[in-house]
Amino acid sequence: MRLLAAVAIIGGLLVSAQPALAGTPAASDGAAAQPAARDEGWQPDIQTPDPVTLPGTTKKITPFATPLSPHQPEALPGATKGPGATLKADGAARAAIREADMPTFRGASPQAGPDDPPTGLYCTEAISRNGSVSGAPNQTNYAANISYLAEFGCNFWLDAAYIATGVIDRGRFDGQFLYTTAPLSYGQTYYGATSGGVSTPGELFDGGRNVEIAFELYLLAPIGVYWGGCFPIPGLRYLLCEGLGTGLLHIVLGTGPFGTGLQPPVIRHVALGDSYSSGTGAPPYSDALCRQSPATYSNTITGTLLSGLSVDRPTLAACHGARIPDLYASQHPGVPPQLDAIQPHTRLVTLTIGGNDLDFTAKLTGCYLGADCSTAGPLVTPQELYQVQVQLTALYRQIRAEMHPSGKLMVLSYPAVVPNPDDSADPPPAQDRCPDLASNLIESERRAIYDATAQTDRMIRDAALATGDSRVIYVNGLDLFRGHRLCSANGVWANGLTSPLSDSFHPNASGYQAMATRVAQALPPL
């Protein structure tokens, strides 16, 4: 009866652990994994100790080195069903105990007497957990916080034991460990426990939405007994069971997948830049000062899949008339610098900037209203282009430094909206179809405007390349409106000289849709 008493004591210990954990986080073998520094991103905290030899064996073991998948409970023929892992004693061991009348058999519980045979031997396990979500989506402190306690208890003395626990992602990165504890090794024992926890930042990591806690055990039975079965344990499932018929059992138990409470991951998107990103030219405007339009390309790519994740509706910080300095400082009273919109979890930034720094729109409007653009020298000089290129390269690097380490900066060049006289896709303006353009821009002026737009395109491309960062993606927009420029009979994707004047020579809703399609096509995997 002393053996039954030991079972009751250990069983009570395992059951009592769960309510104790429900109100407080489990004590950890080490510090719980926390979000890393901003410039490093977040990486799972995985303990990778060197292989060790289990005491009393020649078995080299390393935690979670064996692939894991759900296993049905299993047992050897004739094994007695019990709670968890059960053992069987061979005939020689039974006879030796009876003949020697041993007062203590190292395979019996501390409370067992000489009349208690080594039958009904078993170990059982329990995993208790709690969790919470802190912060809110689109905030840096948004995280799932999981803590747990894993225990095993036997109604006899083991010769040795080795245990470890971990948290496995069961969603986007199915099978990837997010956290493991440092393993614990025991000599003779009948009880052991390990605990730990992980905080998974929901805006810095795409996993951690569904997880499973895994408990790995190597249990060495006393000489003369061997493991007979891995029987069901309420609330747990087997991810591994090997060693039946031997004295060394290797099992991994899991809680099964459970949700952490984090919302599904999305690609956080910030749209920066000037009027070609704010949506000027496609009213109505949601923000009259910055002329922000729902039709702008950054809004239109919402929902596009990038590496299997949906692009979120953007934080639209782009503003009409913006120049490069306006990304660093306030452009208008009460309007924060555009770079303030970028967060450590921003995974996508789209940008058009530089045209106003070259006074390109003002020069184009001047050409249209009477200035001779073909004889007064180039619309943009090499010196102007070089100065803006240097500023753009510095800006691109700054943006990349402030966003998610794996994020992408998509840099768009400007589409040519005035017909190119050297392109057959752009018919020359006709008085009966396009009288304003035909009257105000002669062929040499149209050529000068197109050449200046092409030079600006090359300058933006070179500025992106100069960063040396493959995550800065140049998107060619120069010929995006080819066949749909001003005066086209196939549908025009931009405004000519119009009222208000600030909408002139900007994309219309169809033009922004074309820009969105080009950006979506250029989106690289994260």
Side-chain angles (χ1 to χ4, degrees), residues 279-285 291-296 495 503 506-510 512:
T280 297
Y285 301 117
R291 306 184 76 77
Q292 294 176 345
S293 169
T296 187
N495 300 305
D503 281 6
H506 284 83
N508 56 25
S510 297
Y512 283 116

Side-chain angles (χ1 to χ4, degrees), residues 326-413:
D326 295 320
L327 275 77
Y328 299 94
S330 177
Q331 181 178 351
H332 301 289
V335 177
Q338 292 192 32
L339 289 181
D340 285 3
I342 302 175
Q343 299 295 319
H345 55 258
T346 301
R347 305 284 287 279
L348 176 65
V349 173
T350 51
L351 172 68
T352 58
I353 198 71
N356 292 320
D357 299 86
L358 295 169
D359 290 326
F360 195 81
T361 300
K363 293 174 181 177
L364 177 56
T365 302
C367 294
Y368 205 95
L369 294 178
D372 188 346
C373 299
S374 61
T375 60
L379 286 178
V380 290
T381 67
Q383 182 179 9
E384 289 175 321
L385 289 166
Y386 176 75
Q387 291 174 343
V388 173
Q389 178 181 326
V390 170
Q391 295 179 66
L392 286 180
T393 297
L395 173 65
Y396 299 160
R397 287 173 173 160
Q398 182 67 34
I399 292 172
R400 277 289 312 124
E402 297 196 19
M403 60 190 297
H404 191 281
S406 69
K408 300 296 188 295
L409 167 59
M410 309 292 289
V411 176
L412 286 76
S413 65

